[in-house]
């Protein structure tokens, strides 16, 4: 009896990354969150508590119109308009510290889930300059949102204070920073409406070498690197300037 050839490992795992013809349907948007500035620890205000939004919400150059940031010096603005964090971050924190921190605790606006056998959106799989579209071209007659990754998130003490409300823990913010799993910030490329359950498409990838994982490694390395290694990063127009300054200091001189 003639049998069909067995599917090879390579064929079965062909969709191992996002470096494929675009646009590429990579995920489903499982939750959209926003928060209000509220009294927090240290007699400060914070909007780190983000709660799911059931209805479509407008997004403009400053982010979700229903979202707030208490500390506008370090959070929010056009280059930190929307924050996304991989759910796997919580799995890693909980495993490392024996906790039960739930998704949504650390201030992210967007949560996604992979589709089509592709990997999750995480620091090793997304790149600076990537543009993602959340939804089809039109949603009830309105444009769908397009967002560009421009920088990682720098964890701060509020992560410690937020988790510390529930249990005594070590310096989780420092550990998260060393792991490079703090998520990323988007710049809004196209205003529009966004809501949960939308398909997520990768529509532009101009810098496939520039993963967030690699950026963290270079930024935190004690080593110096040849100029040609760093110059390709410094030439990324959309990379937020403070990160370029860090990378410029890593160039080997002489």
């Amino acid at each position: 009896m003639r049998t069909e050839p067995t599917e090879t490992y390579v064929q079965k795992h062909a969709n191992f990354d996002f470096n494929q013809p675009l646009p590429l349907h990579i995920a489903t948007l499982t939750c959209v969150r926003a928060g209000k500035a509220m009294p927090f620890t240290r007699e400060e205000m914070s909007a780190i508590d983000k709660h799911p939004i059931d209805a479509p919400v407008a997004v403009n150059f400053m982010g979700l119109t229903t979202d707030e940031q208490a500390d506008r010096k370090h959070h929010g603005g056009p280059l930190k308009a929307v924050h996304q964090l991989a759910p796997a971050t919580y799995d890693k924190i909980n495993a490392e510290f024996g906790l039960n921190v739930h998704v949504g605790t650390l201030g992210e606006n967007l949560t996604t889930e992979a589709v089509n056998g592709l990997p999750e959106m995480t620091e090793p799989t997304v790149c600076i300059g990537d543009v993602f579209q959340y939804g089809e071209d039109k949603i009830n007659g309105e444009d769908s949102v397009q967002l560009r990754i421009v920088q990682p998130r720098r964890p701060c003490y509020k992560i410690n204070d937020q988790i510390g409300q529930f249990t005594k823990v070590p310096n989780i913010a420092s550990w998260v920073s060393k792991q490079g799993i703090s998520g990323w910030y988007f710049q809004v490329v196209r205003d529009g409406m966004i809501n949960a359950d939308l398909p997520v498409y990768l529509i532009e990838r101009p810098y496939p070498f520039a993963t967030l994982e690699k950026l963290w490694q270079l930024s935190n390395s004690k080593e110096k690197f040849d100029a040609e290694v760093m110059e390709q990063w410094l030439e990324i127009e959309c990379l937020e300037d403070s990160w370029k300054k860090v990378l410029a200091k890593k160039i080997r001189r002489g």
Side-chain angles (χ1 to χ4, degrees):
M1 179 182 295
R2 184 176 182 274
T3 59
E4 293 298 324
T6 303
E7 184 178 39
T8 68
Y9 179 90
V10 172
Q11 290 171 330
K12 185 176 181 180
H13 296 80
N15 297 335
F16 63 96
D17 64 24
F18 299 156
N19 294 317
Q20 302 182 40
L22 304 180
L24 181 65
H25 182 197
I26 63 166
T28 298
L29 181 59
T30 56
C31 191
V32 179
R33 294 179 174 87
K36 299 293 184 181
M38 303 287 288
F40 195 56
T41 59
R42 311 184 194 211
E43 299 183 352
E44 295 182 346
M45 302 286 284
S46 177
I48 195 170
D49 281 324
K50 306 293 186 186
H51 301 284
I53 302 172
D54 295 329
V57 60
V59 179
N60 61 30
F61 77 104
M62 293 293 282
L64 280 68
T65 56
T66 57
D67 194 32
E68 293 183 0
Q69 297 83 32
D71 179 4
R72 297 307 295 270
K73 180 179 179 180
H74 299 102
H75 301 282
L79 299 181
K80 296 180 180 178
V82 179
H83 176 226
Q84 184 166 335
L85 182 66
T89 297
Y90 292 96
D91 296 334
K92 294 174 182 177
I93 289 174
N94 292 335
E96 178 71 16
F97 298 102
L99 300 176
N100 189 29
V101 184
H102 62 83
V103 174
T105 299
L106 300 181
E108 66 268 29
N109 299 116
L110 306 181
T111 303
T112 59
E113 183 177 277
V115 298
N116 299 330
L118 289 160
E120 298 286 353
M121 294 177 70
T122 61
E123 289 80 4
T125 64
V126 300
C127 299
I128 297 295
D130 283 356
V131 177
F132 298 92
Q133 180 170 301
Y134 293 78
E136 307 296 345
D137 288 338
K138 292 286 184 178
I139 303 173
N140 297 326
E142 299 286 343
D143 285 336
S144 56
V145 172
Q146 292 182 357
L147 305 176
R148 176 186 290 115
I149 297 179
V150 292
Q151 61 180 315
R153 177 192 186 182
R154 289 186 173 95
C156 69
Y157 69 89
K158 288 186 179 178
I159 287 180
N160 296 330
D161 289 354
Q162 172 73 334
I163 296 177
Q165 295 181 72
F166 311 106
T167 182
K168 297 291 185 181
V169 293
N171 189 346
I172 289 181
S174 176
W175 182 83
V176 168
S177 182
K178 290 177 181 178
Q179 300 296 312
I181 54 171
S182 58
W184 52 90
Y185 284 116
F186 289 110
Q187 175 188 43
V188 178
V189 176
R190 186 172 75 185
D191 297 1
M193 303 296 294
I194 199 168
N195 57 270
D197 300 323
L198 292 176
V200 181
Y201 298 93
L202 175 60
I203 61 173
E204 294 181 23
R205 170 158 283 196
Y207 310 106
F209 67 89
T211 67
L212 296 192
E213 179 182 54
K214 187 62 176 179
L215 177 56
W216 272 105
Q217 291 171 350
L218 293 172
S219 299
N220 291 294
S221 175
K222 295 180 180 179
E223 298 180 31
K224 298 288 187 177
F225 301 91
D226 291 339
E228 57 264 29
V229 174
M230 307 307 292
E231 284 173 356
Q232 61 180 348
W233 287 88
L234 300 180
E235 291 171 358
I236 299 176
E237 184 176 355
C238 63
L239 177 60
E240 194 269 337
D241 284 344
S242 67
W243 291 92
K244 290 186 178 181
K245 292 177 181 177
V246 171
L247 295 177
K249 295 178 180 178
K250 304 290 183 179
I251 297 176
R252 184 182 293 115
R253 305 294 180 182

